[in-house]
Amino acid sequence: MTKKRISESTIHRLSLYLRALSVLEKESHETVSSKELAKREKLTPAQVRKDLSFFGSFGTRGLGYPVSDLKKQIASILGIDRLWKVALFGVGNIGSALVSYKEFSRQGFQIIKLFDNDQRKIGSNHKGIIISDIKDMEKELQEAQIEIAVIAVPATVAQYIVDDVVKAGIKAILNFAPINLKVPQDVYLRNENMSMELEYLSFALVNNHSQKRPKI
Amino acid sequence: MTKKRISESTIHRLSLYLRALSVLEKESHETVSSKELAKREKLTPAQVRKDLSFFGSFGTRGLGYPVSDLKKQIASILGIDRLWKVALFGVGNIGSALVSYKEFSRQGFQIIKLFDNDQRKIGSNHKGIIISDIKDMEKELQEAQIEIAVIAVPATVAQYIVDDVVKAGIKAILNFAPINLKVPQDVYLRNENMSMELEYLSFALVNNHSQKRPKI
DNA sequence: CGTCTCATGTGAAAAGGTTCACAAAAAAAT
DNA sequence: ATTTTTTTGTGAACCTTTTCACATGAGACG
């Protein structure tokens, strides 16, 4: 059995399925068809089935997929059937918002450490977490057994912070700074560029860009 | 000449080129090769040339692309060689952060209207903008000539807000609520799902997912 | 001025991702 | 019990995107 590479798009869609399944569960649906699941996330039934088929056979022909079970399975595939310890760097604008961003905790991502280099912030309590000096990160990251770092510092200093984060042994980084960060091959880095989508909207508006929308 | 559909990925990469070009300009580079531009955003030279070729011939063989000029051209293609008037719905956690998010204003997106339904917030001044009652949106959106709406309200009410935003004539929406919003065909909708990338990191960590060049 | 080097622009090939279409299996109906 | 209906799972076909490879043009240099 060859381990085929799963595409980025498939993973992202798993997140969508999970979200839809949570709603379906709340609405007390026992099962759901690929058709219904697709409709709820503006995708095609074939896409749903194909995505799921990469990981196994979760459905019953003629009936559909068991909602609760599939939800658990996808959570397990995504690795969010557990808690992740997250540290956040830069308690500014975006950083503060992320600390109380419910969707993170709902998916099992716990921000339990805050770092900043501003002396006025260090030592103060932000939503129940004492802000640490960024200089102490190595020790503190290890003590708290942090597994994921979220970077919300200005672009000008982001690379320095990331270099230190990598040195401290972190293998997964989510970057909000608008800069292309360099990390070693074995470190997973993802970028969140919020103005990109606005730029896409701008492009679409001025160019009357035809919308690609899966027909259902 | 047939107007070929430009892919979403190409548009997103234009944003990256623009970012790199700004840095190059600051570093006083007159020209830049596709190779260098690619390196700065972890892409391939062929990709850069192909992307740009969809919109014209901006380079000089043997020399590369003129930095300042290409920057202007891309800004024009993306439609951000002008200012966009943006309204933000939901002055909570994420909403407040977005109001002072520098990257938006840097790209020409001006958040000039804030809406909320919380009576305690309505009428108060947030970073120089008076928060309006969401009930008055239609009149206020038209008076302020808003072109883009950013949704940062809870998922439970997002669809209602969006329905009203659409009724008020807005044709471009950036949604931060973790829900699949329904809009008419002629309205551009983009979603910003911040926990999706964390979920991807989680997946990568538990599955030792082989890294490919990030698509965006 | 001719040659050499560099780097673009672009068809063609390759790779990757999505949709189709249908056999197979289960449930529902008769 | 048999037929009909529903819906999955999946190879194959199709479509899109990326990468290759090279002709072409511009500047550099002796």
Side-chain angles (χ1 to χ4, degrees):
Chain A
M1 190 182 113
T2 25
K3 199 170 154 189
K4 207 180 170 296
R5 195 185 177 278
I6 305 295
S7 84
E8 201 173 305
S9 310
T10 293
I11 307 305
H12 279 153
R13 282 192 298 268
L14 288 186
S15 295
L16 297 182
Y17 303 148
L18 196 56
R19 184 170 84 175
L21 287 164
S22 294
V23 175
L24 284 158
E25 202 175 39
K26 271 210 197 81
E27 291 172 7
S28 308
H29 291 80
E30 295 259 304
T31 59
V32 64
S33 64
S34 57
K35 195 176 162 191
E36 173 66 17
L37 202 44
K39 194 181 138 211
R40 294 201 176 215
E41 294 295 340
K42 274 190 212 127
L43 301 164
T44 63
Q47 181 92 81
V48 172
R49 295 200 299 276
K50 180 64 92 177
D51 282 340
L52 295 176
S53 78
F54 291 134
F55 303 97
S57 303
F58 306 109
T60 304
R61 291 167 193 225
L63 192 62
Y65 300 91
V67 172
S68 293
D69 183 56
L70 183 59
K71 182 170 164 246
K72 281 198 200 93
Q73 298 270 14
I74 294 180
S76 161
I77 292 164
L78 288 176
I80 57 175
D81 53 347
R82 46 158 288 185
L83 297 175
W84 288 96
K85 292 179 181 167
V86 178
L88 184 135
F89 294 81
V91 191
N93 232 339
I94 300 291
S96 321
L98 295 178
V99 177
S100 10
Y101 187 52
K102 290 292 189 322
E103 207 56 20
F104 282 176
S105 45
R106 200 171 293 139
Q107 308 300 333
F109 300 101
Q110 303 182 295
I111 298 180
I112 57 170
K113 274 278 168 195
L114 301 180
F115 292 94
D116 208 297
N117 66 354
D118 185 340
Q119 291 303 323
R120 286 164 301 178
K121 290 178 188 167
I122 294 167
S124 73
N125 184 317
H126 187 276
K127 311 227 171 115
I129 309 173
I130 306 292
I131 300 179
S132 302
D133 192 329
I134 224 160
K135 283 175 186 149
D136 306 328
M137 75 159 86
E138 182 148 7
K139 196 178 120 241
E140 301 225 13
L141 289 176
Q142 276 155 17
E143 275 177 14
Q145 301 186 58
I146 299 295
E147 298 158 294
I148 299 175
V150 174
I151 307 295
V153 301
T156 44
V157 297
Q159 184 64 62
Y160 305 117
I161 308 292
V162 166
D163 289 347
D164 288 347
V165 165
V166 168
K167 263 191 213 120
I170 301 296
K171 297 290 182 210
I173 299 172
L174 178 59
N175 171 45
F176 280 83
I179 185 179
N180 179 31
L181 295 170
K182 276 154 200 63
V183 294
Q185 271 250 320
D186 65 330
V187 175
Y188 297 105
L189 170 70
R190 303 293 300 178
N191 295 296
E192 196 76 68
N193 188 336
M194 297 188 294
S195 64
M196 225 175 214
E197 291 297 338
L198 268 185
E199 288 168 39
Y200 188 97
L201 283 175
S202 165
F203 172 81
L205 284 171
V206 300
N207 296 279
N208 272 109
H209 197 235
S210 62
Q211 299 222 57
K212 195 176 168 181
R213 205 184 286 250
K215 60 245 164 172
I216 298 173
Chain B
M1 188 183 113
T2 22
K3 200 167 151 190
K4 207 178 171 295
R5 195 185 177 277
I6 303 295
S7 85
E8 201 172 304
S9 307
T10 293
I11 307 306
H12 280 321
R13 281 192 299 268
L14 288 187
S15 295
L16 297 183
Y17 302 149
L18 196 56
R19 184 171 84 175
L21 288 165
S22 294
V23 176
L24 284 158
E25 202 175 39
K26 270 209 197 83
E27 292 173 6
S28 308
H29 289 80
E30 296 259 302
T31 60
V32 63
S33 64
S34 58
K35 195 175 163 192
E36 174 65 18
L37 203 44
K39 194 182 139 212
R40 295 203 176 213
E41 294 296 341
K42 275 192 210 124
L43 301 164
T44 63
Q47 181 92 81
V48 172
R49 294 200 300 276
K50 182 64 93 178
D51 282 339
L52 295 177
S53 78
F54 292 135
F55 303 97
S57 302
F58 306 109
T60 305
R61 290 168 193 225
L63 193 62
Y65 301 92
V67 172
S68 293
D69 183 56
L70 183 59
K71 183 171 163 243
K72 281 197 200 94
Q73 298 270 14
I74 294 180
S76 160
I77 292 164
L78 288 175
I80 55 173
D81 52 348
R82 45 157 288 183
L83 297 176
W84 288 96
K85 291 179 181 167
V86 178
L88 184 137
F89 294 81
V91 191
N93 233 339
I94 300 292
S96 320
L98 295 178
V99 178
S100 13
Y101 187 52
K102 291 289 189 324
E103 207 57 19
F104 282 176
S105 44
R106 199 172 293 139
Q107 308 299 334
F109 300 102
Q110 304 182 295
I111 299 180
I112 58 170
K113 273 278 168 194
L114 301 180
F115 292 93
D116 209 296
N117 66 353
D118 185 340
Q119 291 303 322
R120 285 164 301 178
K121 289 179 188 166
I122 294 168
S124 72
N125 184 316
H126 187 277
K127 311 228 171 115
I129 309 172
I130 305 292
I131 300 179
S132 302
D133 192 329
I134 223 158
K135 283 176 186 147
D136 306 328
M137 75 159 86
E138 182 147 7
K139 197 179 119 243
E140 301 224 13
L141 288 177
Q142 277 155 15
E143 275 176 13
Q145 301 187 57
I146 299 294
E147 300 158 293
I148 300 175
V150 174
I151 307 295
V153 300
T156 44
V157 297
Q159 185 65 63
Y160 304 118
I161 308 292
V162 166
D163 289 346
D164 289 347
V165 165
V166 168
K167 263 192 213 119
I170 302 295
K171 297 291 182 211
I173 300 171
L174 177 60
N175 171 44
F176 281 83
I179 185 179
N180 178 29
L181 295 171
K182 277 155 199 62
V183 295
Q185 272 250 321
D186 65 330
V187 175
Y188 297 105
L189 170 70
R190 305 292 301 177
N191 295 296
E192 196 77 68
N193 188 336
M194 298 189 292
S195 64
M196 225 176 214
E197 291 297 338
L198 267 185
E199 287 167 38
Y200 188 97
L201 283 175
S202 165
F203 172 81
L205 285 171
V206 301
N207 296 280
N208 272 109
H209 196 233
S210 62
Q211 300 226 53
K212 207 192 150 186
R213 222 186 296 282
K215 211 181 201 145
I216 300 172

